[in-house]
C-alpha cells in the first residue's frame, strides 16, 4: 500500500467518524448543551468570569462544529424565551431613529464652485 492510499483511507475514516459524531450530537443535543453549559459555568466560576467571552465563543464553536442546535435557536423554534445569562435576561437597547448631529445647510446647487461655498 502506498502513501496516497494510506492518506485516502485516513481521510475516509475521519469523514466517517465526523459524520457519526454529528449524528450522535444531533440525537443527544440536550445532553451536550447541558454538559457544555455546566462546563462553561464551572470555568466562569473558577476564573471569576474573566474569560467568559472566550468560553462562550468556544462553546458556540463546539456546538456549531457538531451541528448541535443552540439553546437560543431551540427556544426560538419552540416559541419560548431564551435562557437567562449569568447577568440576567438579555435586553435590547432601543434604536434611535433621529440623526446624532443634524446636518447643516449645504447651500444651493448654483453655488457649487463659488468661493466660500461647497
Amino acid at each position: 500500500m502506498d502513501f496516497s492510499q494510506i492518506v485516502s483511507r485516513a481521510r475516509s475514516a475521519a469523514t466517517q467518524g465526523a459524520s457519526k459524531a454529528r449524528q450522535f450530537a444531533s440525537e443527544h443535543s440536550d445532553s451536550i448543551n447541558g454538559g457544555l453549559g455546566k462546563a462553561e459555568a464551572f470555568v466562569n466560576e473558577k476564573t471569576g468570569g474573566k474569560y467568559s467571552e472566550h468560553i462562550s465563543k468556544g462553546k458556540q464553536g463546539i456546538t456549531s462544529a457538531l451541528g448541535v442546535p443552540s439553546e437560543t435557536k431551540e427556544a426560538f423554534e419552540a416559541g419560548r424565551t431564551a435562557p437567562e445569562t449569568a447577568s440576567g435576561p438579555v435586553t435590547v437597547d432601543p434604536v434611535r431613529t433621529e440623526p446624532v448631529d443634524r446636518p447643516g445647510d449645504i447651500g444651493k446647487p448654483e453655488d457649487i464652485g463659488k468661493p466660500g461655498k461647497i
Side-chain angles (χ1 to χ4, degrees):
M1 177 181 306
D2 67 348
F3 183 70
S4 64
Q5 290 174 327
I6 294 171
V7 170
S8 177
R9 282 189 174 184
R11 199 174 275 146
S12 176
T15 302
Q16 188 177 24
S19 176
K20 286 183 179 182
R22 284 190 197 95
Q23 181 181 357
F24 178 85
S26 69
E27 292 171 2
H28 299 90
S29 62
D30 291 340
S31 298
I32 292 171
N33 277 326
L36 289 173
K38 286 180 184 178
E40 181 180 24
F42 176 80
V43 172
N44 284 333
E45 179 185 330
K46 294 297 181 184
T47 62
K50 184 176 180 181
Y51 304 104
S52 63
E53 286 184 37
H54 301 289
I55 301 300
S56 180
K57 285 182 184 178
K59 178 184 170 189
Q60 290 172 358
I62 292 169
T63 58
S64 176
L66 292 175
V68 176
S70 68
E71 292 173 352
T72 306
K73 181 179 178 184
E74 288 175 345
F76 174 77
E77 290 172 349
R80 304 184 312 249
T81 58
E84 292 190 8
T85 61
S87 61
V90 177
T91 59
V92 178
D93 293 332
V95 177
R96 294 181 55 183
T97 57
E98 68 279 352
V100 176
D101 295 323
R102 182 168 174 81
D105 185 24
I106 61 170
K108 301 175 189 169
E110 57 268 11
D111 291 337
I112 294 176
K114 292 183 181 175
K117 303 290 182 180
I118 296 178

